[in-house]
């Protein structure tokens, strides 16, 4: 049985279209964030357009690095042949 590797966006012939559509959706979400009224924001950073996207992205990156650190240093990960 031959297994093909398919990336996140699917087959290669459709991947470029899907990738462009994905990036377009991201740009439209950031543009829409500039249109949201912010007069009732409680904190200063809540008034910044795009703050939620930046905060979410940085939190995700930090979560990945912390989990990799804990996996390697905390003894959670084992060698590939550990159970052999």
């Amino acid at each position: 049985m031959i297994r093909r590797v398919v990336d996140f966006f699917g087959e290669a012939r459709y991947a470029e279209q899907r990738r462009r559509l994905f990036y377009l959706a991201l740009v439209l979400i950031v543009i829409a964030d500039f249109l949201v009224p912010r007069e009732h924001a409680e904190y200063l950073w809540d008034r910044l357009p795009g703050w939620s996207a930046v905060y979410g992205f940085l939190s995700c990156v930090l979560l990945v690095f912390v989990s990799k650190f804990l996996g390697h240093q905390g003894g959670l990960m084992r060698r590939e042949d550990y159970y052999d």
Side-chain angles (χ1 to χ4, degrees), residues 66-79 82-83:
V66 168
S67 63
K68 286 186 77 63
F69 173 77
L70 289 176
H72 290 286
Q73 301 299 324
L76 298 175
M77 292 180 66
R78 301 285 180 220
R79 293 183 326 271
Y82 178 75
Y83 291 107

Side-chain angles (χ1 to χ4, degrees), residues 26 28 33 40 43 52-53 67 77 79 83:
L26 289 178
L28 289 176
D33 195 30
H40 297 294
Y43 302 106
S52 299
S67 63
M77 292 180 66
R79 293 183 326 271
Y83 291 107

Side-chain angles (χ1 to χ4, degrees), residues 21-79:
L21 184 62
F22 177 71
Y23 291 141
L24 177 66
L26 289 178
V27 168
L28 289 176
I29 289 171
V30 171
I31 289 172
D33 195 30
F34 282 91
L35 304 175
V36 174
R38 303 193 186 278
E39 61 266 1
H40 297 294
E42 191 167 337
Y43 302 106
L44 173 67
W45 53 84
D46 286 337
R47 293 188 178 109
L48 298 173
W51 166 251
S52 299
V54 171
Y55 179 73
F57 177 75
L58 292 178
S59 298
C60 181
V61 169
L62 180 67
L63 183 66
V64 168
F65 282 120
V66 168
S67 63
K68 286 186 77 63
F69 173 77
L70 289 176
H72 290 286
Q73 301 299 324
L76 298 175
M77 292 180 66
R78 301 285 180 220
R79 293 183 326 271

